[in-house]
């Protein structure tokens, strides 16, 4: 088993050492001996492990029930006379584990650097907090990236509040390296920062938005949104909207070949990160009404819309309540002013199916609503949204829902609505016949409404049935029979 120090009573042991080490000569001798002892890795490992209480029979019951207690190092750190020099000694030990991976774990699998850092957690008092923080941050700079992450993660539990300004300055510099973005922001989130320090940390995060990759953006956005206050929410939201350019995560939209190559090579990890980014935005809006209201006010401005703005509208819509009506009304207005276009819609949704996989029913509801609108431009936009949703959300259930909804529009009896719905279905049949063919059972529903269609609409219906009849196989069904049924219905009603 592991070699451990045994003591009769850890509390009495600490008191004994504290009393003995008040003498300057004794203290100096003890510190020299301790440094020599801990220079051996095996001895260091042993001193980092919890002590075992071996009480006499008459000892307190608590000692007998709980034989595991603070490590010798932890006990020594609680002695003020010993603490400063021991902290220095331990921090000096850490860099050696950056250069020799074989030392990082002992033969029982314990991570020695983490064991050292754990000794500093929740100390009752740090004798010289500023000096300790300075030493810790200096040590941080000379360690390996993995060990640096461990130190960063431990900072909130080992650094006093009075040293947070120094910590924020140091961590902000590290945050520029994407390797450390996540651990730094996690650490900052767990620090009790004054408002001015929180503003400083958030400004550093905002500065990173344009230069960070997709893997880092979700945690950056989450940190920014969770750190805002009612006083600065409008300013932060505007900066976030200005600097979070989702377009830069893809290739140049004008180069269609390059764009297709980019999306073909998109990894599952990057798609998952896009989903996490959208979830960060969505949770931020739900986290605070102030944030949601501030974004909505930003989106009401007469500024050019980007992909992020479409994502924000979807996220606001998904918060439910009165937001659905407000978002729909804003989108209709922006369609009329030309700020929301079919091209923007395509860029925002196409190739982002994983990120927006939870938005299918939202997009379908919007398409239904827009296609029923009395304004032609909004109806056409609804039709384009139907086509896009059918193409992007390619599983059978989603495509079945899209086609069923389109057929319902065809049976509405409203001329303009029927026209657009037939146009959408015709576009899908012409451009994606193989994708529509498995769902001909839903397309056949047009037959039920054919007698109420106008002549131009009947021609479109014939075109749809003829296209599907020309490509169907025996297993697909019998669209030709449905075509004859439609002809007989029209002849009998004429």
């Amino acid at each position: 088993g592991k070699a451990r120090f045994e003591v009769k009573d850890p509390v009495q042991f600490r008191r004994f050492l504290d009393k003995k080490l008040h003498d300057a000569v004794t203290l100096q001798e003890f510190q020299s001996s301790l440094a020599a002892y801990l220079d051996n890795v095996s001895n260091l490992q042993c001193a980092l492990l919890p002590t075992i209480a071996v009480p006499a029979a008459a000892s307190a019951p608590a000692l007998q029930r709980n034989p595991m207690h603070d490590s010798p190092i932890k006990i020594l750190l609680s002695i003020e006379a010993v603490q400063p020099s021991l902290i220095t000694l331990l921090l000096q030990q850490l860099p050696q584990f950056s250069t020799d991976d074989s030392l990082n774990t002992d033969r029982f699998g314990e991570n020695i650097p983490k064991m050292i850092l754990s000794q500093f957690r929740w100390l009752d008092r740090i004798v010289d907090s500023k000096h300790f923080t300075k030493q810790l941050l200096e040590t941080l700079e000379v360690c390996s990236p993995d060990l640096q992450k461990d130190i960063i993660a431990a900072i909130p539990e080992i650094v006093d509040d009075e040293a947070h300004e120094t910590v924020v300055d140091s961590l902000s510099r590290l945050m520029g390296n994407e390797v450390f973005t996540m651990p730094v922001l996690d650490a900052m989130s767990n620090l009790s920062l004054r408002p001015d320090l929180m503003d400083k940390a958030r400004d550093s995060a905002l500065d990173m938005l344009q230069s960070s990759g997709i893997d880092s953006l979700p945690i950056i956005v989450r940190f920014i949104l969770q750190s805002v206050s009612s006083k600065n929410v409008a300013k932060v939201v505007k900066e976030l909207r200005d600097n979070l350019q989702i377009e830069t995560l893809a290739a140049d939209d004008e180069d269609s070949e390059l764009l297709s190559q980019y999306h073909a090579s998109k990894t599952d990890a990057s798609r998952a990160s896009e989903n996490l980014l959208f979830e960060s935005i969505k949770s931020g809006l739900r986290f605070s009404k102030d944030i949601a209201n501030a974004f909505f006010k930003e989106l009401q401005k007469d500024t050019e819309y980007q992909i992020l703005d479409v994502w924000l509208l979807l996220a606001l819509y998904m918060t439910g309540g009165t937001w659905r009506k407000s978002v729909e009304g804003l989108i209709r207005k922006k369609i009329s002013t030309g700020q929301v276009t079919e091209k923007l819609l395509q860029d925002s949704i196409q190739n982002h199916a994983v990120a927006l996989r939870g938005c299918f029913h939202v997009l379908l509801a919007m398409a239904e609503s827009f296609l029923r609108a009395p304004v032609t431009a909004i109806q056409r936009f609804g039709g384009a949204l139907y086509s896009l949703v059918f193409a992007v959300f390619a599983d059978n259930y989603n495509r079945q829902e899209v086609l069923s909804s389109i057929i319902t529009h065809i049976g509405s009896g409203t001329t303009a609505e029927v026209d657009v719905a037939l146009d959408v279905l015709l576009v899908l049949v012409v451009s994606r016949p193989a994708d529509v063919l498995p769902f001909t059972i839903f397309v056949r529903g047009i037959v039920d409404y054919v007698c109420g269609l106008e002549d131009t609409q009947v021609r479109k219906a014939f075109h749809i049935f003829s296209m599907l009849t020309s490509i169907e196989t025996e297993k697909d069904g019998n669209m030709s029979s449905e075509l004859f049924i439609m002809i007989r219905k029209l002849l009998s009603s004429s």
Side-chain angles (χ1 to χ4, degrees):
K2 301 177 183 179
R4 299 178 189 270
F5 283 89
E6 297 181 353
V7 294
K8 289 185 177 180
D9 187 328
V11 175
Q12 292 298 326
F13 176 60
R14 193 198 71 79
R15 288 174 182 168
F16 170 77
L17 287 175
D18 195 9
K19 184 177 179 181
K20 284 286 186 183
L21 297 174
H22 272 294
D23 177 71
V25 175
T26 306
L27 176 62
Q28 187 174 2
E29 291 177 353
F30 178 82
Q31 289 172 332
S32 299
S33 299
L34 180 63
Y37 178 81
L38 295 180
D39 193 49
N40 180 283
V41 174
S42 296
N43 292 340
L44 175 63
Q45 292 170 354
C46 185
L48 291 169
L49 293 171
T51 55
I52 299 176
V54 188
S59 297
L63 287 177
Q64 297 176 0
R65 287 194 305 269
N66 182 22
M68 305 295 284
H69 293 272
D70 286 341
S71 69
I73 294 293
K74 190 84 169 184
I75 293 172
L76 291 172
L77 285 171
S78 67
I79 301 172
E80 292 189 5
V82 179
Q83 188 192 87
S85 62
L86 181 54
I87 284 175
T88 299
L89 187 62
L90 291 171
L91 291 178
Q92 288 174 346
Q93 292 276 7
L94 280 175
Q96 71 172 309
F97 298 102
S98 295
T99 57
D100 190 347
D101 291 338
S102 65
L103 298 177
N104 277 9
T105 55
D106 64 15
R107 60 194 180 96
F108 299 101
E110 297 282 2
N111 185 295
I112 299 172
K114 287 185 178 181
M115 291 172 69
I116 292 175
L117 292 169
S118 70
Q119 309 302 308
F120 303 130
R121 282 185 166 95
W122 314 124
L123 290 175
D124 292 336
R125 180 173 180 269
I126 297 177
V127 176
D128 189 345
S129 177
K130 288 185 178 180
H131 184 63
F132 167 61
T133 303
K134 181 174 179 289
Q135 285 182 298
L136 181 66
L137 295 177
E138 287 174 351
T139 303
L140 175 64
E141 293 179 0
V142 297
C143 291
S144 66
D146 286 342
L147 187 46
Q148 284 178 305
K149 291 177 185 178
D150 289 338
I151 294 173
I152 293 168
I155 281 176
E157 296 176 350
I158 64 180
V159 173
D160 282 351
D161 291 357
E162 63 187 52
H164 283 179
E165 184 170 5
T166 305
V167 168
V168 169
D169 287 338
S170 180
L171 293 185
S172 295
R173 289 193 296 272
L174 273 177
M175 192 163 53
N177 184 336
E178 283 202 64
V179 172
F180 302 114
T181 300
M182 187 173 295
V184 165
L185 290 179
D186 278 341
M188 287 186 174
S189 298
N190 291 316
L191 293 172
S192 302
L193 299 180
R194 300 192 314 264
D196 60 316
L197 291 181
M198 181 59 78
D199 290 345
K200 194 172 186 177
R202 186 179 52 254
D203 288 344
S204 296
L206 283 165
D207 289 341
M208 291 187 61
L209 285 173
Q210 291 189 348
S211 60
S212 295
I214 182 61
D215 293 340
S216 299
L217 284 175
I219 190 169
I220 294 174
V221 170
R222 188 182 307 115
F223 176 79
I224 291 169
L225 293 179
Q226 288 180 350
S227 65
V228 299
S229 66
S230 57
K231 292 182 179 179
N232 58 30
V233 63
K235 174 180 176 291
V236 172
V237 160
K238 183 181 186 307
E239 289 189 36
L240 183 60
R241 187 184 177 215
D242 289 343
N243 292 294
L244 181 55
Q245 302 293 327
I246 296 175
E247 289 84 353
T248 62
L249 303 179
D252 184 356
D253 286 349
E254 295 178 0
D255 188 339
S256 58
E257 183 179 352
L258 186 59
L259 184 64
S260 62
Q261 289 175 359
Y262 165 80
H263 289 299
S265 64
K266 240 184 180 182
T267 63
D268 290 340
S270 68
R271 290 190 177 97
S273 294
E274 280 191 0
N275 180 248
L276 290 174
L277 175 58
F278 182 72
E279 289 300 317
S280 294
I281 294 169
K282 192 167 65 174
S283 63
L285 298 178
R286 288 177 174 170
F287 172 72
S288 166
K289 288 183 179 179
D290 288 338
I291 293 175
N293 288 327
F295 269 121
F296 192 72
K297 287 180 180 177
E298 269 293 307
L299 294 169
Q300 287 177 308
K301 295 179 180 178
D302 292 330
T303 53
E304 184 180 356
Y305 264 41
Q306 308 290 338
I307 291 176
L308 173 63
D309 299 323
V310 176
W311 284 24
L312 285 168
L313 289 169
L314 291 174
L316 281 168
Y317 189 98
M318 293 176 78
T319 59
T322 58
W323 280 117
R324 294 188 177 186
K325 185 176 180 181
S326 299
V327 168
E328 276 196 19
L330 181 59
I331 293 176
R332 291 181 187 218
K333 179 182 176 182
K334 296 302 180 181
I335 293 170
S336 300
T337 60
Q339 288 169 269
V340 174
T341 63
E342 292 181 19
K343 174 67 164 60
L344 174 63
L345 186 70
Q346 182 175 345
D347 292 342
S348 304
I349 298 173
Q350 195 169 20
N351 303 308
H352 299 293
V354 174
L356 304 178
R357 59 190 170 195
C359 298
F360 170 75
H361 288 289
V362 170
L363 293 167
L364 187 62
M366 285 184 176
E368 290 174 357
S369 176
F370 295 151
L371 203 143
R372 292 194 180 99
V375 180
T376 302
I378 297 173
Q379 284 184 328
R380 294 294 174 187
F381 188 88
L385 184 53
Y386 266 123
S387 297
L388 188 59
V389 171
F390 184 87
V392 171
F393 298 91
D395 62 275
N396 288 344
Y397 169 77
N398 291 336
R399 285 184 165 171
Q400 172 183 314
E401 289 290 298
V402 171
L403 290 173
S404 295
S405 185
I406 292 172
I407 300 303
T408 301
H409 288 296
I410 293 173
S412 68
T414 304
T415 301
E417 184 179 339
V418 174
D419 278 337
V420 176
L422 282 167
D423 287 341
V424 172
L425 186 56
L426 183 56
V427 166
L428 290 177
V429 169
V430 171
S431 63
R432 315 181 74 91
D435 293 335
V436 177
L437 197 59
F439 307 99
T440 52
I441 188 171
F442 299 101
V443 179
R444 291 172 192 167
I446 297 175
V447 174
D448 297 332
Y449 309 120
V450 72
C451 293
L453 300 180
E454 298 177 0
D455 289 347
T456 55
Q457 294 168 344
V458 170
R459 291 191 190 97
K460 291 176 186 176
F462 266 114
H463 193 171
I464 291 167
F465 274 75
S466 299
M467 284 289 299
L468 292 174
T469 299
S470 67
I471 63 168
E472 73 171 350
T473 62
E474 188 173 336
K475 68 175 182 177
D476 294 322
N478 196 351
M479 285 299 292
S480 56
S481 297
E482 298 296 333
L483 186 58
F484 292 137
I485 292 171
M486 186 163 67
I487 294 170
R488 285 197 297 269
K489 277 194 173 188
L490 288 169
L491 290 173
S492 63
S493 64
S494 59

